[in-house]
Structure formats: C-alpha cells, structure tokens
Amino acid sequence: MKACRLSLATAAAAFSDEEKKMAAEKASCESEEGSLALTVEERETLGGLDSRLFGFLNIREDGARMKTLLGKAVHCYESLILKAEGKVESDFFCQLGHFNLLLEDYSKALSAYQKYYSLQADYWKNAAFLYGLGLVYFYYNAFHWAIKAFQDVLYVDPSFCRAKEIHLRLGLMFKVNTDYESSLKHFQLALIDCNPCTLSSAEIQFHIAHLYETQRKYHSAKEAYEQLLKTENLPAQVKATVLQQLGWMHHTMDLAGDKTTKESYAIQYLQKSLEADPNSGQSWYFLGRCYSSIGKVQDAFISYRQSIDKSEASADTWCSIGVLYQQQNQPMDALQAYICAVQLDHGHAAAWMDLGTLYESCNQPQDAIKCYLNATRSKTCSSTSTLAARIKFLQAQLCNLPQGSLQNKTKLLPSIEEAWSLPIPAELTSRQGAMNSAQQNGSDNWNSGQTISLHPVQQQTHSWGLTPQKLQHLEQLRANKDNLNPAQRLMLEQLESQFVLMEQRGLHKGQSSHLAGPNDEQPLFPTGSTQYLQAACTSSQNQNGHHTLPRNSVPQGDALNHLSSYIATSGGQKGITFTKESKPSRNRSLGSESSRHSGNTSNSCAGIKELPNHVHQVTTVAISSLNHGESVSPNLIIADNPQLSALLIGKANDNVDTGTCGKVNNTHPVIHTKTDNSVASSPSSVISTATPSPKSTEPTSTHSVASLNSPHSGLHTINGEGLENSQSSTKVDLPVVNHKSSPQIIPSMSVSIYSSSTEVLKACRNLGKNGLSNSHILLDKCPPPRPPASPYPPLPKEKLNPPTPSIYLENKRDAFFPPLHQFCTNPKNPVTVIRGLAGALKLDLGLFSTKTLVEANNEHVVEVRTQLLQPADENWDPTGTKKIWRYESNRSHTTIAKYAQYQASSFQESLREENERKTQIKDYSDNESTSSENSGRRRKGPFKTIKFGTNIDLSDNKKWKLQLHELTKLPAFVRVVSAGNLLSHVGHTIVGMNTVQLYMKVPGSRTPGHQENNNFCSVNINIGPGDCEWFVVPEDYWGVLNEFCEKNNLNFLMSSWWPNLEDLYEANVPVYRFIQRPGDLVWINAGTVHWVQAIGWCNNIAWNVGPLTACQYKLAVERYEWNKLKNVKSVVPMVHLSWNMARNIKVSDPKLFEMMKYCLLKILKQCQTLREALVAAGKEVLWHGRTKNEPAHYCSVCEVEVFNLLFVTNESNSQKTYIVHCQDCARKTSGNLENFVVLEQYKMEDLMQVYDQFTLAPSLTSSSS
C-alpha cells in the first residue's frame, strides 16, 4: 500500500520539524537523534552515490570522510526503517543497498536489494539496482546470477556508464565457465570502450591472449602476448605475467623447433619474467620444471626452493620436488614431498600416481594400491583405466603371496597411514610466522597461511633433520643390517649420513611440532581481512598450478585490485573453488582442507614431464547451480541488529538456523516469473496487447522471493504479517537523499498503433534518448526476456514418448491439398513428417546424390566436423565413462570430391568389417548402425572418429541450376522462395536460411541440439540411401533445455550439446523420436528444438521457411530480443524484415497486424527521436540511401541490427568501406562522435508513408496454398 509507506519526498519536507518534535518529547534520545541527522550538504553528497561508483570511490585510502558519511547514512536508514516497521518507499531500500555496497558490506547490500525487489514491481527498469545486484553476486562467485543481472543492465540501458566494467566481468565469468566465444566477445567490447574501468587496456589484452591459450590456440596466444610486450609503459606485473606465459608455452608446446631450442627460449622468457617480478613463486616453479626437463637437477632444486620461499608453495611444486628426489634415488625424501603435495591438494592425481609408483619401486604393493585408488577418485585423473588395470595386477600379486610374508618383511618406507601423520620438521616451517604476518598485511588474495618453506640444500646432501619416524626406521635398518637388500642398504646409508648431519647441527630436538597443531589450528583465511563475510571460505591449490581464490575473497574496493587478482602471477586463469565451511583436520600438518567441487580439464599423468599443464582452466561449480545443496551463500542475518534483519528478510521461520544459508538461486530477483501468463517470461508475449502492471497480475502468494536463510520465508513479511496488509503507519523522520533521475529509469509510453505517423511522432518528441539506438522492438513496459517455465501441469510419464505427426502422400494432389499446409503450421504440431513426398511429386533426388554432386562441382567447399561415433540416444565423454551434454566436434574444410571419396571408403570399410564379424562372432551387433536397437549392447568407448560434411552452400543458381529448379516442384508453403515465405521478403541472401544447404553423412554424423535461427520453421529432405534418426522437443520446453545447458556450463545458443534423454524424462519433457527415410520431408515448426543423427550413409538438403502467421512472427521477435540479451547476433534482421513486410504484404490476421504495426511504431519514433537528438547536438546527418539487394546492417562491434541511421568512422566513410557501428558502440569509441559520420538510408517521409499505408486487410474467405 503506497499510502501507508513513507516516501522520501515526504520525509524530506518533514525532516527538520519532526526531528525537533521527537527531541522535545524524548529528551533521553536527544543525542541519538542528533547523531542520526544528515545535513543538507551530506544529503546532497549522498544523492550522487550509487552502485555505479563501486570500484571508483576510494574509501580505503584517504577516504575516511566518505566512509564515515556512508556509515552514518546506513545507520540512520536502518534505525528509521525499524521505526517505520519497514513501511517505507522501495527506493529507500535500493539506496541502502547502494550505500552498503560502497562500504563493501555485501551481505547487507544483498538484503536491501532483495527487499527493493520484493517491493518494486518494475525493478528491472532500474539499471543501477541491477548493476549493484550483479556486483554482489560477482563478489560471492554466484556467476550464474551475476551474468543474468549484468545482461539485464545492458538490455535495459545499452549506454550504461559502466558498460565497460560489465563487459569485463562478463568476460571473466564466461572464461571461468569455459564459454570462450562469449568471453572473447565481451573482452573485445570492453577493449574498444574508452570509458574508465578498473582494469587497464593492457590487462584486458592479457586476458584475451590467455583466453587463446586456454583454448589451446597457442600460436594465436603467442602472437597476442608478443604484441602486448610491444606496448609502451607496460606495467611490470603484466609484463612479468606475459613473459611467464610465453616461457611456459615454449616449455609445453611445439612453438620453436627441437627440445633444446624450446627449453632455451622457455628459460630465457622465465628469467626475464623474474627480472620484472623476482617474487613470483610460480615463475620459479616453471623455471624448475624447465631445468628438470633438461637434466639440470641442482638448478631445478634451487628454483623449487625459491618458489616455496616466495610463499607460493603448491601441490604441483611438491610433486615436482618428489619426482626429482625419486630420480636421485632418495625415496624417503620423495615420499615426504609427495605427502606434502597430496596434503595440500587431496585430489592431486599426479602426486598420488607418483606416490604409488614410489611404493611399488620399494616393493610395498599394499600402499601402492591405496595411492592408485586415491588417484582414480580424483576428478582430474585421465588414466583411470590404466590405473584400474595396475591395481588389479597388484591385487592378484598379493593374493599369490604366502600368508604373513609381507608382515615379516622390513619396509623400506613408512606406510601411507604412517607417512600421512608424520610431523613436518621444524626447518620446513621456519617461514610460517613471517608468512602469516605478510598475509595480515594483505599481501595476497588467497590463503597461503599454510605454505611451507624449504631451506637451501648443500649440494646434493639433504639438509632436513630426521623425524622420529625416520629415527625409528634407522634403528630398524641398523638392527637388520646383515639381512638388507641393496635398496635398503642405500636407504640406511642415506639415513646414517643425515643423522650425522643432524647431530652436528643439533636439529634432533623439538622436531615433532606441527604447522597447525590440535590446539592451534591455522585459520582458513587471514583474520585481518575485511573482505571475508559470514560465509566461510578457504583457498586451495588446484592441480594445474593455479592458486585459487577464496570464495569471498575478490577484493573490490579500489580501482584495480578487485579484478587484478584474475591476472594470476601463475599466469593461469584463477578458477574459484567452492568449499563447505570447514576447519583444518587436526591430524594434518600441511595445507587446509578443501571440499573440492571443481574439475580440471588437463591430463594429469605421472612423471615430471607430464605433470598437469598449469594453464588449463578450472571448472567452477557456481553457487547458483540449481541442484547443488553444498552451495555457500552469504548470511543475511545482520548480527548487530536482529530487528533490522527481520524487517529486511522476514521472520516466517523463526527456527531457521542462522548459520546455514539457503541456496542463492532462491534469492535472485529476476529469475522468478511474476505473472500467471505462461508466456509472460518472454516480453513479446504482450507485443499486441496492453500490458497490465506486473504488480496487478502477480499472485503474491506464489513466486515470492525467499530469504537466503530460508527458502520459504517471504521477503515482504514482518513478524508473519504481510507489508501490504499492515494498516498501521508510523510517521518517522527520514533523511531524504534526492537521487537525480538517471537515464536508466525508462519512462512508460503508450502510443496507439491506430494513430497516424504524424500523431505518433508528435507524441514522442522530447522524450529523450531512452535506449533508442539499440532498437528494442518490444513494448517499453516489457522487462528483459526470460525463457518460458516448464508447462504446467506436467505430462504423465506415459505421454513423454508421443507419436510423431505423420502424413502419407500418394500423389501430387495430396501434396497440394490445403489442409496439409494448415496441419504443418499448426502450433500444436511441433514436427510433421511427410512420408513419400519425393515419390508423390516425382522429385529426382538423384540430382543431390554424391555421384551427381561430384560431376557438377567437385571442388565446391565442404565444412567438415570431426566427431565421435556414438549410439544415437546417448552422449558419452571421450573416455566412455559418463554421459554428458557437451558434444565436441572439430571444424575443418575440404571439397565435395574429397569428402565423396571418404564417404565411399567408409562404406567399403564397413562392409569389410561386417563380413569379418560375421565369420568371427555371429551374434555380434552390427558396428555400422548406431540406432537404438543396438545402442544398449554397444561397448562405451573408445569411440571411432568419423567426419560429417555439413553446411554445403547451394545458393549459386549458375552452379546448381538443375538442383534448384527441381525443388520448384514442391508445394508453395515449403518452397525456398514464395510470396508467403517471410524469408523471401528479407531482400537479400541469408545463406542456409533462404538458400539451400546440403549435408553429406556417414553413420553417426550428428547435428547437435538447437532451435533454428530466430525460431523460423525448417524443411529437411533425406536424399538417401540411408536413414536418419530425429529427436524433437516442443517449443514450450526450450526453457527447460536452456536450464539444463546452464547446469552443464553450456551456452544454449552457441555451444554444441546433445541432450541426455534420461534428464529430459526426469524433467517431464516429451521427446518425439522417429526415423526419416529417403524421400521423406521433415517439417520443423517454429521454435521446435531438435537434434539428428545419421543411421546410414545419406545426403540431406535443408532450408528455412517463415509462414505468414502471428505465431511465427511472435517467436521470431522473441528470439530477436533474447539474442540481444545474450549478446548473440540475430541472423534474421527483424526490423529490416518488418518494414519490407509492411511494404510488400497485405496482412489480414489481426494478431499479426498488431504485432507488426507496433514494431513499426516503435522503430519510427526511435528513428525520429535519435535523428532530432543528433541534429540538436550539431551532428550532421548525411543522406546515403540504399542500393538494390543491399543487406541489412549490423554493428561491427556488438552485432546488433542497425536500421536507417548508420554510424560510420570517418576513415571507413572516406574509403567507402562503410564499417557500421550502432550509436552506443560509436559513443564508447568516441564520446562526442567526432570520429564518426552519420549516414541516413531512409527519408522519414518514406517511413511515415509506409507506416500509414500498412493497414489491416479484409479477411479472405478461403485459404490457398
């Protein structure tokens, strides 16, 4: 109830008087009230502060006054919220969130933002709120939600002043999520922006280069790094990191000739890196690896010691030290180094394998088996099958040994249990105190508090003192001196020499001290750091040599540091490893316990030359994962003020454990559907209707945003009573902060589509820019688009395998029967199979056979996808151990003639294999078929590699005249070109959409899961001779598949994925499944999700069609807007197409007419307003016009469609190359557009005439096809 809420304006007017009344009535509170009062000057200062200043407002250094003011404002706001019992304007909570964010109190900021969301129906219009929310989620590593919030900001306000910062953070998050294509795009968008940012251009360029390296595009990475080194005034830290990366790449990759040359270059780069940054432990570690690989053992030891001395000890370093000791035949020292490695990182597969090998060499198979088993449990182990075989062999060996023989045998090494609990010698821990001090001084962003140090070794004699265990082992060896084998004698000599050295130095006293004893455990993070909130966090060292950030450790206070931690001194991308709240184990002597939820993409093998590559990225498990109960989220109970906590987050559940947080995915504002309308998740659902306020249609009892502490406690309740139902109103003094109206608040505008163009333009004059350049073609009132929720009620299990709609044709008349068209385009039929079409129409499919294609154009280009042959209904990882969604295929190119040769040889090879199998095993499944009949019996991996010839362009009418002419025999509604096909009105070629594409297949060739570009319908004809198997999901369920993609770290629009049918059935998603035989036409309706696999050898032809229906247009526009939100180019230029449709087509469908007319209205007023703004600013608009068949234009930077007013650089204009920018990208490059000319392609009078002449045509009494 707005009437019961105290507005900021009301509070401002009454502020002074009410304060005096309160002081007079309650003298005891006089001092308190005085301290709460904000002066006029303070209110003016606070009025200019919001989330946009985060990272640019220095409150750490010389910012005491600002910090005090923000603290005072927060205290004042919180007190007054309590007095008003929460009944204040929603903007009040938004401001409170901003102030807490600027103070880096993230949990309070999130609480306030959540409250604002629950009160503000059109929260999505407030870009500063969305930006602040995104920053909070980014801080908590909740990348799933941070990405959504940041994308919403750019959607509602493309010219947002912190767009560069958003692109940078999106680039970092997509990089961690392994969505490299999106990451690169956002880094490039950040790079061209001349606005201020918390990272320099050099640092952004480094991330781009490292992105190439992470993708294994090493030559591109090398060029980018070398180009970066040429930058003037390159910061020393960036220079050191670039040189470090170049050194490591030369060590691991074939970038420079033979091994000697490679290692020479690598050592030179690493030495230069250490000149720039002598304290980089990672560079010292890499240098040690290089020295070790060329046999310079002593230099390697020195480098490893330096690495540890720089407080950057990692599991990788200790593993490498262990390998060196093992090579030097010092097994006890190797054992201790390996134990250090696996205690620092329990999942370090390479260290466990090396430790197993060490135990095997010392004839201790039981311990070796334990180590190998630990290696196989690691997510990073790539040698599981080899280790399993080794374990089996050792177990068989043990079974054959006489009983008790192992117990009576003297062990050369302590058992793994004994070794694990060995105390670490005092000399190794001598730097512990110094490192803790360094941590408290804020020297590191990650937990190095349990790093250990190794003092210099005198030549090759190990200087470590003997532990009690070693002393005990020495006594055992002395007692059995006469019965020792050669290896044990060598061990005895080593221990004797070390004992003498220990006696000389007096190191035998006090050597049982632990790094973190039972009563003195190390903290998981520096206690002096303010950036750690209630949620516990810890750092861990991943297998690649990355030092991973603590969960909440991204410092975000000053202009650089809050992101500079991503430029790792290790040179690797810092993954963020999520851990449960935990304490170090009492029996541990090294490292901190880390409950690992992150995988590793590198191959971890034993041996010093094959340790995991440090540059491969860690896959994080974002706390936004929908089904991950282990997610850690900030505690929103405000410890110093429980009453305020109740107001901010509600007290529906009084028994909630305040130390345990619910899932963050329950708190993200913008993910919840706010209306009952099943299509309301997508804004264009209201494109042709008036839009009621979300508040008025929102069932307040459903979809309420839960607090972090309880998924069921509503945010808008106070002591169990809803805010809206509370009739009591407390009038209190509110310190108003007059925030200036900012461009991110979009005004609501309603102009009737039945007004004339003159009336429309008159109504929208002087309304301001309003994000016009980005051409939103939906209503102003619509929020950013959302995927649809799964249809309700869910289908029963027996309906999840529905029969595929099929039409059987007997003759030509059947093909041209009008109801066929109506049946195919009916939205209730996601797919239709038209059987026997080729025979009914007497189509000569031989024109598309491989033989004819070779004869016609044998040198024509074919895109080739190298894939793994798998069962059609399954998708396994390359090792065949688990089912996954990600489907990898490598792209290359060849010619039709060469692919035809491959296709034929594949067939012949299959026949030969089949004959061999028949003679050997009669009942063995036929290897050539991957259909469902034999998929259950097939052995999972290793999989055979196949090649799929795809996207072969048949658009050239001269080259493919006979083939294209044959397709004119088809009914009009499925033809490539027809008056009723929207894509025929685009006015230019869109390859593969309004032109024919050919696919040449061998068994197993896959077209991964997708919707067609802009949700257009598609036509696919199987040429034969083999069959294809199709999987189809209705358009209503694409939101569910999008959610599965996000869970699997996949981009629904851009990644390659193959759904797991079991997942779909569990989620109640129906899947149509059918076989397409030669001559069958498959019609995919608008928005239908599908994926296809070839069963036999065949060719297919396909293209897209746009039926002239309201459903097709609506879905195309929705995808246009979704693409814009996701920064993906829309292949179909819907604005350009809509104007061409208005010129060329008479529309009699009222729904289609209303949607098109509103699109035209929106674009018309955008063009006029933008043009007037440019002229008013003194920017000349030059007439350019359009040529015949000129393609629609897209921004060369962000790839949004640019209509009518083109921003072209002066240079590009003078050279007649016309490289187009949208207005937002042009302004980011050149703030006042001085480097750009504006070209106009349509006269406003012409657009007005088209708009006025586009009217609803009378309905036709009969339909024709």
Side-chain angles (χ1 to χ4, degrees), residues 592-613:
S592 58
E593 175 71 16
S594 172
S595 301
R596 303 184 57 80
H597 302 299
S598 60
N600 189 310
T601 59
S602 66
N603 295 326
S604 306
C605 305
I608 191 162
K609 296 179 184 177
E610 299 180 56
L611 286 177
N613 186 340

Side-chain angles (χ1 to χ4, degrees), residues 821 825 971-986 994 1016-1017 1019 1083 1103-1110 1112-1113 1137 1141 1144-1147 1152 1156 1260 1264-1265:
H821 176 198
T825 56
F973 80 97
V974 295
R975 283 183 203 151
V976 184
V977 179
S978 73
N981 180 356
L982 298 184
L983 294 173
S984 297
H985 296 277
V986 173
N994 54 13
F1016 277 83
C1017 300
V1019 173
W1083 170 275
W1103 58 91
N1104 291 103
V1105 174
L1108 192 58
T1109 64
Q1112 174 64 88
Y1113 187 81
L1137 174 60
M1141 288 168 63
N1144 303 337
I1145 300 174
K1146 293 292 183 183
V1147 175
L1152 176 59
M1156 286 181 58
L1260 298 176
S1264 62
S1265 58

Side-chain angles (χ1 to χ4, degrees), residues 836-1113:
L837 176 82
L841 295 176
K842 296 187 170 73
L843 287 177
D844 183 4
L845 297 185
L847 290 170
F848 298 94
S849 68
T850 299
K851 181 177 180 292
T852 307
L853 294 171
V854 170
E855 292 170 353
N857 292 289
N858 63 342
E859 292 299 311
H860 198 68
V861 177
V862 176
E863 179 184 322
V864 175
R865 290 284 181 170
T866 302
Q867 303 176 332
L868 295 178
L869 176 63
Q870 302 199 50
D873 53 359
E874 296 174 354
N875 186 53
W876 296 80
D877 68 349
T879 63
T881 55
K882 62 178 180 179
K883 291 182 181 180
I884 58 174
W885 277 64
R886 185 180 297 275
Y887 186 70
E888 300 288 359
S889 62
N890 299 317
R891 184 167 64 176
S892 59
H893 291 87
T894 186
T895 62
I896 284 182
K898 290 179 180 176
Y899 188 84
Q901 188 177 4
Y902 164 75
Q903 204 177 33
S905 62
S906 166
F907 180 72
Q908 292 165 358
E909 180 186 350
S910 179
L911 288 177
R912 189 167 54 253
E913 289 176 355
E914 185 179 357
N915 290 331
E916 291 174 359
R917 280 196 304 274
K918 283 180 179 178
T919 57
Q920 293 173 3
I921 307 173
K922 292 182 180 180
D923 61 346
Y924 191 78
S925 297
D926 187 354
N927 184 38
E928 74 187 46
S929 174
T930 60
S931 66
S932 57
E933 285 81 21
N934 62 17
S935 63
R937 300 188 294 272
R938 181 192 169 94
R939 180 170 159 269
K940 305 301 183 290
F943 299 106
K944 180 181 176 182
T945 298
I946 59 169
K947 294 183 178 180
F948 169 27
T950 182
N951 298 337
I952 305 165
D953 177 25
L954 303 188
S955 62
D956 192 331
N957 198 43
K958 294 179 180 177
K959 286 185 177 181
W960 308 103
K961 185 176 180 179
L962 291 175
Q963 285 79 6
L964 297 178
H965 183 265
E966 191 68 15
L967 297 180
T968 60
K969 295 180 181 178
L970 293 168
F973 80 97
V974 295
R975 283 183 203 151
V976 184
V977 179
S978 73
N981 180 356
L982 298 184
L983 294 173
S984 297
H985 296 277
V986 173
H988 60 84
T989 296
I990 304 177
V991 175
M993 291 203 70
N994 54 13
T995 66
V996 181
Q997 280 192 327
L998 171 77
Y999 305 87
M1000 303 176 73
K1001 304 177 180 180
V1002 297
S1005 296
R1006 285 184 166 182
T1007 301
H1010 68 287
Q1011 289 172 299
E1012 295 295 319
N1013 288 319
N1014 284 94
N1015 281 336
F1016 277 83
C1017 300
S1018 75
V1019 173
N1020 186 297
I1021 299 175
N1022 185 7
I1023 305 301
D1027 299 338
C1028 290
E1029 184 165 12
W1030 288 66
F1031 300 84
V1032 167
V1033 169
E1035 186 272 338
D1036 294 354
Y1037 292 87
W1038 80 264
V1040 181
L1041 273 78
N1042 176 71
E1043 192 174 295
F1044 274 118
C1045 284
E1046 288 181 346
K1047 285 181 185 178
N1048 288 277
N1049 253 1
L1050 293 164
N1051 185 320
F1052 177 80
L1053 296 175
M1054 304 301 294
S1055 298
S1056 181
W1057 43 272
W1058 192 266
N1060 183 347
L1061 294 180
E1062 294 168 8
D1063 290 343
L1064 298 185
Y1065 294 139
E1066 278 184 27
N1068 294 104
V1069 176
V1071 179
Y1072 294 82
R1073 186 172 177 177
F1074 60 91
I1075 302 296
Q1076 180 194 26
R1077 309 198 186 283
D1080 289 350
L1081 182 149
V1082 174
W1083 170 275
I1084 292 293
N1085 220 347
T1088 297
V1089 186
H1090 55 288
W1091 55 103
V1092 190
Q1093 176 156 323
I1095 295 175
W1097 289 262
C1098 59
N1099 293 346
N1100 289 65
I1101 52 174
W1103 58 91
N1104 291 103
V1105 174
L1108 192 58
T1109 64
C1111 177
Q1112 174 64 88
Y1113 187 81

